[in-house]
Amino acid sequence: MIEKIKSLEVIARSLDPKRTAREDLWQQTQTYVEDFLEHLDRQKGYLEAECPKLSDLVIREEGGQMSEVLNIMRTEIDHAGITSTSGRHLGYIPGGAIWVSALGDLMAAVSNKYAGIYYASPGAVLLENQLIRWLCELIGFPSTAHGNLSSGGSIASLIALTTAREVHQIRSHNIRKSVIYYTPQMHHCLNKAIQIVGLGECICRLIPVNDRFEMDTGVLRQQLEQDVSAGLSPFLIIATAGTTDTGAVDPLEEIAEISRQYSTWYHVDAAYGGFFLLVDEMKEKLKGIGSADSVVMDPHKGLFLPFGTGVILIKDGQALVKAHTKEANYLIDAYGLDEISPADCSPELTKHFRGLRMWLPLHLYGLQAFRACLEEKIFLCRYFHEEIQQLGFEVGPPPALSVTLFRYPDPEPDIFNKALLEAIHKDGRYFMSSTRIEGALWIRCAVLNFRTHLQEIQGALQMITDCLATIKQA
Ligand SMILES: *Cc1c(COP(=O)(O)O)cnc(C)c1O
């Protein structure tokens, strides 16, 4: 048996390379990453590609070479589709991926601290809880609030709605009388969340929006009154601080007041817009966010982190814990400690120490860098909004945050603008996406990648000018 163990050990040890072997891999990876970043300026925002060589990398019995892996990564993964790291990415809601976050991820992965439970890694959990505290203060939540760093806004929304469901005790006997209110501009991850957390049988009321795509609070009030007189129980109002389509911010303070009056849970989806609180000018627009019961924010958008970080903040921290705690015999050593563990605030038990990727850039660059970068994006979007009109385009409302809508006036606007969008994708220098609003097709310019500066916006305007000329000739 000892012989067998020893022979297995020889092979097993290949999983744990020595320093010189590690340094070789570091070197190759570092060169790869540096080349990637150096070429970013010249890389297109969007590359159509089919990735045929990926299947060359089948999983084999014998190991392979890093150089082979990197070669395939370069063409088949890193240079295909949307270049989300690029300042030329102006579609959906960009973010970018601040490079030092990757160093945080690397350190977190190497040390593999168990960030789910305080007992297992007090430092990691304290650091994440400090970040949550900072965010609670940023939105104006009291010290009794708590939250969780999730993988993104969608999972954060699940945590919010689970907590809302538990606090309001939505059960089979009352679910069909419980009402949820939101606008057609709500993000679809909340429709998913409603389904997943078992609220699909609630009554859902679509509240219309005004011409700035903000919730019409007059209709909201009327609907609530009507529902109460019909014997229904208003349960949840969902507002958005920065809608994905247009960047609109619902009247948060007014909705807060209505929610108080009818004793509903008040959820604010600030996945896109929340971090604009760092910009003084935007504080007024986002006023009322602190009156919510739950708020979702996405650091992988507004703090420009790599994909994989969302945040849920819940005003009643105890309610969050109560809705997410179950005891297990094998975790008895971890009970009875004062600090709240992430595992008690989330469906996740074991999790990546994802706080480090957020904490590191905030500490290295300071808040001022983020404030300036966010404010710059607001002005860039306003600049685009003005300039695109000079090119003869029709636009949506003045940007509330950093998204603007535009389309070219044509007798057949949807057909023309679809063709224009296709030309933009084919050109690929800058990436933009489209949306349908009340049936009409609009192209969007979303400015939130931290690498988007004046040069990129001017380049995008040039690309649109070129594409427009091509379409008009055709
Ligand atoms: C991006 C976004 C979401 C979803 O968040 P993910 O991080 O993609 O899961 C929800 N709401 C809004 C307003 C968003 O912009």
Side-chain angles (χ1 to χ4, degrees), residues 25 55 77 139 154 214 242 303 420 426 428:
L25 294 177
S55 51
I77 299 179
I139 65 164
S154 302
E214 306 156 353
L303 281 186
L420 178 61
K426 208 164 156 166

Side-chain angles (χ1 to χ4, degrees), residues 185 212-213 243-248 397 399-401 403-405 437 444:
Q185 289 292 309
R212 291 184 308 275
F213 304 107
T243 61
T244 311
D245 265 352
T246 75
L401 300 172
V403 175
T404 193
L405 300 174
I437 296 181
R444 297 166 65 261

Side-chain angles (χ1 to χ4, degrees), residues 411-425:
E412 297 269 21
D414 282 13
I415 295 172
F416 187 92
N417 285 286
K418 180 108 179 50
L420 178 61
L421 185 76
E422 276 165 15
I424 289 173
H425 287 174

Side-chain angles (χ1 to χ4, degrees), residues 93 152-155 187 189 240 242-244 269 271-272 298 300-301:
I93 303 287
S154 302
I155 300 297
H187 194 276
C189 79
T240 310
T243 61
T244 311
D269 178 4
Y272 158 49
D298 253 352
H300 62 204
K301 290 173 179 159

